[in-house]
Amino acid sequence: MYLRPRVIPCLLLKNNGLVKTVKFKDPRYLGDPINAVRIFNEKYVDELAILDIVATKEKRSPNLELLSRIAAEAFMPMCYGGGISTLDEVKIILGMGFEKVVINTSAVKNPMLIQEASGHFGSQSIVVSIDVKKNFFGKYRAYINCGEVATDYDPAELARKVEQLGAGEIFLNSIDKDGTMSGYDLGLIKKVSESVGIPVIACGGARNVDDLSMALHNGKADAMAAGSMFVYYGKHKAVLITFPNEEELIKAGVFT
Amino acid sequence: MKEYQVCNRCIMDTSDSEITFDEYGVCNHCRNFDENIRPRWFPNEQGQQMLLSIVEKIKQENKNNDYDCIIGLSGGVDSSFLAYKAVQMGLRLLAVHVDAGWNSEIAVRNIENICKKLNIDLYTHVVDWEEVAEVQRAFLLSGVANQDTPQDHAFFAGLYNYAVKNNVKYVLSGLNFATEGILPASWGYMAMDLKQVEGIYDRFGRKPLKTFPKVSLFKYLVYYPYIKGMKVIAPLNYMPYDKDEAIKIMAKEFSWQYYGGKHFESRFTKFFQAYYLPAKFGYDKRRAHLSSLIVSGQLTRQEALIEIEKELYPIEQLQEDKEYVLKKLDLTTQEFDEIMKSPNKTFRDYPSNHYLLEKLRTIRGLLKK
């Protein structure tokens, strides 16, 4: 039996459509989220992350109608993030069948939410995402509000803090690497994953299975998420949903 | 009420309201195939020579360009096999896939395998899903038979517009007489007639269309071919093309997988062809498809008669697909049942350029004589 670290396609929602960004900007339309989820179903993907990238910016709560349609379509465990700011929303989304919720802005603005939510629903269902960008001086900083507002937090420091508050997992997203398909920021991943005891999901920059392997072995990530790699093909970045098969993951050393 | 009759040569029957039979009980589709299609079909040595000279001309004209031609790739049998053949002939292809929101997993996997194994560059035009859904919803509400028009129009318009915009003159098409030689006009309507698309949408659509790919008949018939020099070539008509054989070759060469029915690579097309058309109109598209294979010599009439008796749509699968299609198109079960029960309409009940097309056909016929 192989050891199978999780490999997680990360799908971004904008309005009712699926998009892919580059460095959290220039969202490119990829099509109908329902159909994409269905294709990932049939590719036997282990887990899926769905993130609404405009909910917080638009100061609105999650699009529950769309989420329930997505949840009804998916067979695999899914986590949802975007615009969650109340305990009630966490309850509704978990009730739909999402395994986990992802919280970003509210984790900084209202840390009590993490404590309350993990107390109510268990740490395993509360993920905190940390969006990271290097500042002018080359220092890592955690960002909130869809990557638009800088905080004073160093990502490792914020990770430790939310771990103490009860978060069960860190979704670590590199804004500088997002959509660039230039490899993960291994230093960042290592730094954060060595600072906490809870699992760290690395995201941002993956271009192929070797990158997944590097994030796992060199970056010490517990799971690897990626966007572009699973929705783009070739030099014209043709939209084409894909997922590596077991042999490819074994060959690259992701499954060992 | 016309008496039920099946052609003695193919298996077309009186479910085509416009079918006629001669004194030997052979239908007009068979005669049309012999008289009008066979002379333009070269599955032989002669075709190979003709194709070779076309390919040489394409290569010559494009030696300074990145690509020789564009090929529309759906992941289905015809376009996949065409891509394979074109690469064998040394053409540098740009595959264009138009994604209208109904791709099956098999379709996207086939596309990926083809492009990877044959080393073909790919470009995808993703059509705004909410607009596709609106157009398809409008067509369902209109009650016409030609429910493939919204997708087909988007596919071809997307492909042709991209070719013209990027100055690629040659478009390879998977259209072929070997598997598509028989298709009764009464069962569908020409998807390129934008007047029909817009006419039906004006009546049943709910919001303006902003990005849905469109191409007018003028552009398609005059501007693109005569002013921009776009040429659509159907290479499968210049070679022996046996569907079963093609599937075997592709499975071996690039793990291509069959999805169990002509055009079933799209979930909507499957539901439309295997349920909507037979249940509402009594049209079983397999009949036309199997008849095409008979007249092109790939299947005996006996084999076709056995094939057509097979179950069209297992009930659990139909239920699952129906639920999925209606949910995607924002229709309730009641609304859909109402559509199935209301009187059948034809393309003639809505605006179209049918009259103009008939005139053009007559003029072209006269010019040929």
Side-chain angles (χ1 to χ4, degrees):
Chain A
M1 191 57 196
Y2 280 96
L3 202 64
R4 297 170 61 104
R6 289 169 294 151
V7 177
I8 307 167
C10 177
L11 305 178
L12 309 180
L13 291 177
K14 187 188 170 205
N15 306 326
N16 292 318
L18 214 57
V19 295
K20 179 67 203 109
T21 50
V22 176
K23 299 186 178 183
F24 278 33
K25 291 195 178 76
D26 307 321
R28 178 176 164 203
Y29 182 69
L30 304 179
D32 175 28
I34 306 280
N35 211 58
V37 167
R38 189 148 179 161
I39 293 174
F40 278 119
N41 262 339
E42 290 171 11
K43 290 192 177 289
Y44 303 108
V45 166
D46 296 331
E47 192 173 328
L48 214 54
I50 312 264
L51 306 176
D52 186 327
I53 62 164
V54 287
T56 299
K57 212 185 312 189
E58 291 173 354
K59 297 191 173 59
R60 61 167 172 79
S61 45
N63 181 347
L64 299 175
E65 196 272 329
L66 178 63
L67 291 183
S68 72
R69 291 202 298 143
I70 290 175
E73 209 53 61
F75 302 147
M76 73 292 263
M78 287 200 304
C79 61
Y80 167 77
I84 297 174
S85 60
T86 69
L87 206 56
D88 229 21
E89 286 162 357
V90 175
K91 188 178 168 188
I92 293 170
I93 291 164
L94 294 177
M96 283 175 184
F98 283 86
E99 299 259 313
K100 300 168 190 172
V101 291
V102 183
I103 299 173
N104 171 259
T105 305
S106 292
V108 171
K109 287 192 167 170
N110 175 22
M112 282 308 289
L113 179 66
I114 305 301
Q115 197 167 22
E116 283 175 11
S118 58
H120 270 84
F121 308 106
S123 284
Q124 80 290 336
S125 52
I126 308 300
V127 182
V128 168
S129 75
I130 302 181
D131 298 337
V132 183
K133 195 153 75 173
K134 272 187 187 158
N135 69 10
F136 184 73
F137 304 101
K139 286 244 185 307
Y140 290 123
R141 280 287 168 261
Y143 276 65
I144 54 169
N145 246 29
C146 315
E148 285 185 346
V149 176
T151 68
D152 293 332
Y153 284 110
D154 168 80
E157 179 195 346
L158 181 58
R160 271 195 301 274
K161 185 182 169 192
V162 298
E163 179 183 25
Q164 278 161 14
L165 288 167
E169 218 164 49
I170 302 291
F171 191 98
L172 182 65
N173 216 336
S174 164
I175 299 173
D176 297 317
K177 287 286 190 176
D178 173 57
T180 59
M181 298 183 90
S182 58
Y184 287 103
D185 184 339
L186 299 174
L188 170 68
I189 299 166
K190 194 155 181 243
K191 197 166 164 237
V192 174
S193 58
E194 282 175 349
S195 316
V196 290
I198 53 176
V200 171
I201 307 167
C203 190
R207 83 203 110 177
N208 54 34
V209 283
D210 293 330
D211 283 340
L212 303 179
S213 186
M214 300 260 276
L216 178 71
H217 300 295
N218 303 28
K220 308 291 174 200
D222 296 273
M224 286 74 68
S228 304
M229 175 182 162
F230 301 133
V231 296
Y232 286 146
Y233 174 80
K235 68 176 184 190
H236 298 299
K237 285 199 166 183
V239 176
L240 189 70
I241 289 177
T242 177
F243 192 76
N245 59 35
E246 195 164 49
E247 292 96 86
E248 291 171 89
L249 291 165
I250 292 168
K251 210 175 145 211
V254 178
F255 292 175
T256 48
Chain B
M1 188 73 189
K2 237 197 308 190
E3 212 177 296
Y4 183 78
Q5 192 175 347
V6 189
C7 174
N8 284 332
R9 187 170 151 208
C10 70
I11 61 167
M12 285 307 297
D13 64 6
T14 35
S15 61
D16 168 16
S17 58
E18 292 165 10
I19 199 168
T20 57
F21 298 94
D22 65 12
E23 72 253 49
Y24 306 103
V26 172
C27 74
N28 57 314
H29 300 298
C30 288
R31 283 199 307 276
N32 179 57
F33 188 84
D34 289 339
E35 288 165 18
N36 300 318
I37 293 180
R38 202 179 287 281
R40 294 188 284 140
W41 182 42
F42 306 95
N44 46 33
E45 187 66 30
Q46 189 191 355
Q48 202 184 336
Q49 288 308 319
M50 293 164 88
L51 187 55
L52 214 61
S53 68
I54 296 171
V55 168
E56 274 319 306
K57 186 166 177 272
I58 296 177
K59 284 184 190 168
Q60 193 59 32
E61 281 181 30
N62 290 286
K63 58 182 181 221
N64 296 324
N65 300 328
D66 289 346
Y67 301 104
D68 291 318
C69 51
I70 275 178
I71 183 171
L73 200 56
S74 69
V77 190
D78 300 340
S79 67
S80 304
F81 190 66
L82 176 61
Y84 170 66
K85 282 295 187 185
V87 167
Q88 272 190 339
M89 290 185 291
L91 288 170
R92 295 165 308 148
L93 306 177
L94 174 62
V96 175
H97 175 63
V98 181
D99 179 347
W102 291 102
N103 273 337
S104 60
E105 193 273 331
I106 297 179
V108 297
R109 184 150 37 93
N110 282 342
I111 293 172
E112 182 180 351
N113 285 338
I114 292 161
C115 292
K116 272 189 183 157
K117 296 275 167 61
L118 300 178
N119 196 20
I120 300 174
D121 286 344
L122 178 70
Y123 168 81
T124 306
H125 177 151
V126 181
V127 187
D128 184 287
W129 161 248
E130 291 182 57
E131 292 194 5
V132 180
E134 270 302 299
V135 180
Q136 290 191 303
R137 190 178 179 278
F139 264 72
L140 276 173
L141 289 169
S142 78
V144 296
N146 46 305
Q147 296 295 330
D148 38 4
T149 292
Q151 273 197 91
D152 282 351
H153 191 89
F155 290 157
F156 289 113
L159 186 65
Y160 297 155
N161 293 344
Y162 184 84
V164 169
K165 194 174 141 211
N166 290 280
N167 242 335
V168 182
K169 289 222 169 13
Y170 291 91
V171 177
L172 301 189
S173 155
L175 289 177
N176 65 89
F177 300 137
T179 72
E180 298 170 326
I182 289 183
L183 187 61
S186 68
W187 285 11
Y189 183 62
M190 189 200 191
M192 295 313 291
D193 188 346
L194 182 59
K195 194 170 171 187
Q196 171 101 120
V197 177
E198 293 186 326
I200 287 177
Y201 195 75
D202 278 348
R203 226 170 113 204
F204 299 98
R206 296 180 294 192
K207 59 175 197 185
L209 296 179
K210 288 181 187 145
T211 59
F212 189 82
K214 296 173 182 176
V215 62
S216 67
L217 267 188
F218 171 75
K219 271 191 173 171
Y220 173 61
L221 294 175
V222 182
Y223 183 70
Y224 281 3
Y226 295 105
I227 312 297
K228 302 300 274 185
M230 186 183 85
K231 296 179 181 70
V232 180
I233 316 267
L236 295 179
N237 289 334
Y238 299 92
M239 61 178 81
Y241 175 45
D242 183 303
K243 203 179 113 181
D244 288 337
E245 196 56 37
I247 291 173
K248 270 185 215 145
I249 294 172
M250 294 194 292
K252 185 167 162 281
E253 296 290 326
F254 41 87
S255 318
W256 189 91
Q257 200 187 331
Y258 192 49
Y259 35 79
K262 193 169 167 62
H263 296 317
F264 285 7
E265 68 268 27
S266 150
R267 293 175 185 286
F268 176 83
T269 309
K270 179 181 178 190
F271 177 72
F272 149 67
Q273 290 192 356
Y275 179 68
Y276 176 89
L277 267 191
K280 183 168 166 66
F281 290 84
Y283 304 159
D284 185 342
K285 277 220 170 174
R286 293 180 305 169
R287 211 169 259 292
H289 177 57
L290 293 167
S291 293
S292 301
L293 296 178
I294 294 172
V295 294
S296 70
Q298 300 186 50
L299 203 67
T300 66
R301 187 168 182 276
Q302 207 50 41
E303 288 168 327
L305 285 170
I306 294 168
E307 187 65 31
I308 197 85
E309 287 307 319
K310 287 189 185 161
E311 193 182 19
L312 186 56
Y313 219 152
I315 187 78
E316 310 83 51
Q317 209 183 0
L318 164 64
Q319 274 312 328
E320 196 199 317
D321 288 352
K322 181 179 168 185
E323 207 179 296
Y324 183 67
V325 168
L326 297 190
K327 192 163 85 171
K328 275 195 49 136
L329 295 185
D330 190 23
L331 283 164
T332 63
T333 311
Q334 288 93 309
E335 282 171 320
F336 183 71
D337 291 345
E338 199 53 46
I339 291 168
M340 293 301 283
K341 269 187 298 190
S342 42
N344 291 344
K345 295 289 177 64
T346 79
F347 70 87
R348 291 187 178 85
D349 292 313
Y350 300 99
S352 83
N353 270 317
H354 185 247
Y355 177 75
L356 177 73
L357 285 163
E358 285 300 300
K359 274 265 177 275
L360 281 174
R361 202 160 291 154
T362 318
I363 294 166
R364 260 193 221 169
L366 288 174
L367 288 177
K368 266 186 199 157
K369 275 173 194 164

